[in-house]
Amino acid sequence: MATDAELTDTFRELDGNGDGHITSTEFQAAMVARGEEITVGEIAEIFADADTDADGKISLAEFTVAWHRAG
Ligand SMILES: [Ca+2]
Ligand SMILES: [Ca+2]
């Protein structure tokens, strides 16, 4: 089980501009930076699952829910 510190570290890593929300562009850039290939379709699936208020961004609250669901 991951700790909350890991969760917030991962969130900050994904939130490239530090505005408190992860956009699909930031998510893709973070995956590329990790050397992981991810398709636009895969990102869309992740966002459809995690972006519960459908504003196109993942907040820390949404990320926390998705993280524990995946956990
Ligand atoms: Ca951001
Ligand atoms: Ca959202």
Side-chain angles (χ1 to χ4, degrees):
M1 186 82 184
T3 66
D4 284 353
E6 283 177 285
L7 189 158
T8 50
D9 280 354
T10 304
F11 186 85
R12 286 203 199 98
E13 186 188 330
L14 294 173
D15 179 15
N17 68 356
D19 70 350
H21 287 90
I22 302 165
T23 63
S24 57
T25 306
E26 287 173 337
F27 191 87
Q28 187 172 22
M31 288 300 118
V32 170
R34 286 179 167 205
E36 293 185 31
E37 298 211 6
I38 188 159
T39 66
V40 172
E42 285 169 335
I43 292 173
E45 274 183 34
I46 290 164
F47 271 65
D49 186 53
D51 181 18
T52 49
D53 67 359
D55 67 351
K57 303 175 289 190
I58 297 175
S59 66
L60 180 57
E62 288 170 339
F63 186 75
T64 303
V65 171
W67 177 283
H68 288 300
R69 202 192 291 140

